Amino acid sequence: MTQRRTPLSSRRPAPSSSTTAAAAAACDPRPCPTTPPQRRRHASPHHHHHHHHRQYQSTVSVQKLRRFNWLILVLRLAAFCFSLASSIFSATNSRGPSAPHWYDFEALRYLFAANAMVALYSLLETAASVWEILKNATLFPETFQLWFDFSHDQVFAYILMSAESAGTALARTLKGSATCTASSAFCIQSDIAIALGFAGFLFLAFSSLLSGFRVVCFLISGSRFPH
C-alpha cells in the first residue's frame, strides 16, 4: 500500500493573532497614532521667577507695615508723655496760699484739661498700637478703628492747639504784670507746661497725618496700608 503524503503547506502551524495584527499594522499605510507626551510636573523657570518675585514683594510689604506701625506707636507714646508732663506741671503750679494758683486763671484750667484728655486718649491709642503690632490686626473692626483714630486725632489736636494758644496769650500777659514779679517761679512753670503741651500737640498732629493716610489707603484699596 502506498502512503499518501501530506502537503507541506498543511504542516505549517497557523499564525497567531498577535502576528496577524502586527502584519496588518505593517501593511496599513495610515500612520500609527502616537501617545502625546506627558506634561512635566515641574514649573518653568519663569514661573519660579514670578513666584520668587511675589514672595519678595510680600516680605518687603510686611517689613514696611511693621515699620509704619512702630512709627505710629512712637508718636502715640511721645504725645502721651508730653501731654501727661504738661498736665502735671499745670496741676502742681501752686506755691502757697498767698501765691497765685493755676486754677485762678481760665486759660491755665483749659490748658490742664486739654492736656489731661490728650494724655488719656494717647494712652488708649498706644495700647491699640501695641495690640496691632502683636496681633497684626486692629483692636476694633478695621473700618471703625480707622475712622475713630482719624476723627479723634483731629478733634483732640484742635482742642490742644486752642488750649496752647490761650495759655501762650496768658503767659505774655502775665510777664508784664505784677504776678510774675511777685512769683517768677509760677510764670516759669506755666511756660514749661505750655511748651510741653506744644510738643504733645506736634506729636499728635503727626499721628493725625498718619491716621489720615491710613483712611485714604482704605478708601482707595480697601486696606489700611498701601500694597
Side-chain angles (χ1 to χ4, degrees):
M1 294 180 65
T2 59
Q3 296 182 354
R4 184 180 297 178
R5 293 183 180 180
T6 307
L8 295 176
S9 58
S10 61
R11 295 180 184 180
R12 294 179 182 177
S16 62
S17 60
S18 59
T19 306
T20 306
C27 296
D28 193 357
R30 291 177 297 177
C32 298
T34 57
T35 304
Q38 296 183 354
R39 296 182 179 179
R40 297 181 179 179
R41 297 182 179 272
H42 63 276
S44 62
H46 176 71
H47 178 75
H48 281 295
H49 175 73
H50 182 65
H51 178 71
H52 177 72
H53 183 65
R54 289 176 56 187
Q55 185 177 6
Y56 174 75
Q57 282 186 338
S58 61
T59 304
V60 172
S61 299
V62 170
Q63 293 177 355
K64 288 182 178 180
L65 297 185
R66 290 187 64 86
R67 286 197 296 266
F68 191 84
N69 288 333
W70 276 103
L71 178 60
I72 294 178
L73 175 61
V74 170
L75 293 176
R76 298 292 189 190
L77 186 60
F80 165 73
C81 293
F82 281 99
S83 298
L84 179 63
S86 177
S87 60
I88 291 175
F89 271 85
S90 297
T92 58
N93 195 7
S94 299
R95 302 296 171 180
S98 59
H101 302 278
W102 65 274
Y103 48 81
D104 295 332
F105 303 92
E106 183 180 359
L108 295 183
R109 293 198 302 268
Y110 184 27
L111 180 69
F112 167 76
N115 279 282
M117 288 190 298
V118 171
L120 180 59
Y121 168 71
S122 298
L123 180 62
L124 296 177
E125 287 292 341
T126 300
S129 297
V130 172
W131 176 276
E132 187 170 351
I133 291 175
L134 295 178
K135 302 295 184 178
N136 197 22
T138 54
L139 181 61
F140 300 106
E142 185 177 16
T143 305
F144 176 80
Q145 183 76 58
L146 294 179
W147 286 107
F148 178 87
D149 295 345
F150 177 69
S151 60
H152 285 75
D153 284 347
Q154 296 291 321
V155 171
F156 283 114
Y158 284 123
I159 291 175
L160 191 56
M161 184 63 186
S162 176
E164 296 301 325
S165 300
T168 302
L170 177 64
R172 291 178 179 176
T173 304
L174 291 178
K175 285 184 178 179
S177 64
T179 303
C180 289
T181 304
S183 179
S184 59
F186 174 81
C187 293
I188 293 175
Q189 189 164 340
S190 297
D191 293 340
I192 294 175
I194 294 170
L196 292 172
F198 265 118
F201 164 76
L202 291 177
F203 287 109
L204 182 59
F206 284 122
S207 300
S208 177
L209 292 177
L210 295 183
S211 61
F213 175 74
R214 300 213 304 176
V215 170
V216 172
C217 292
F218 180 78
L219 293 177
I220 294 176
S221 62
S223 174
R224 63 187 183 275
F225 297 114
H227 295 287

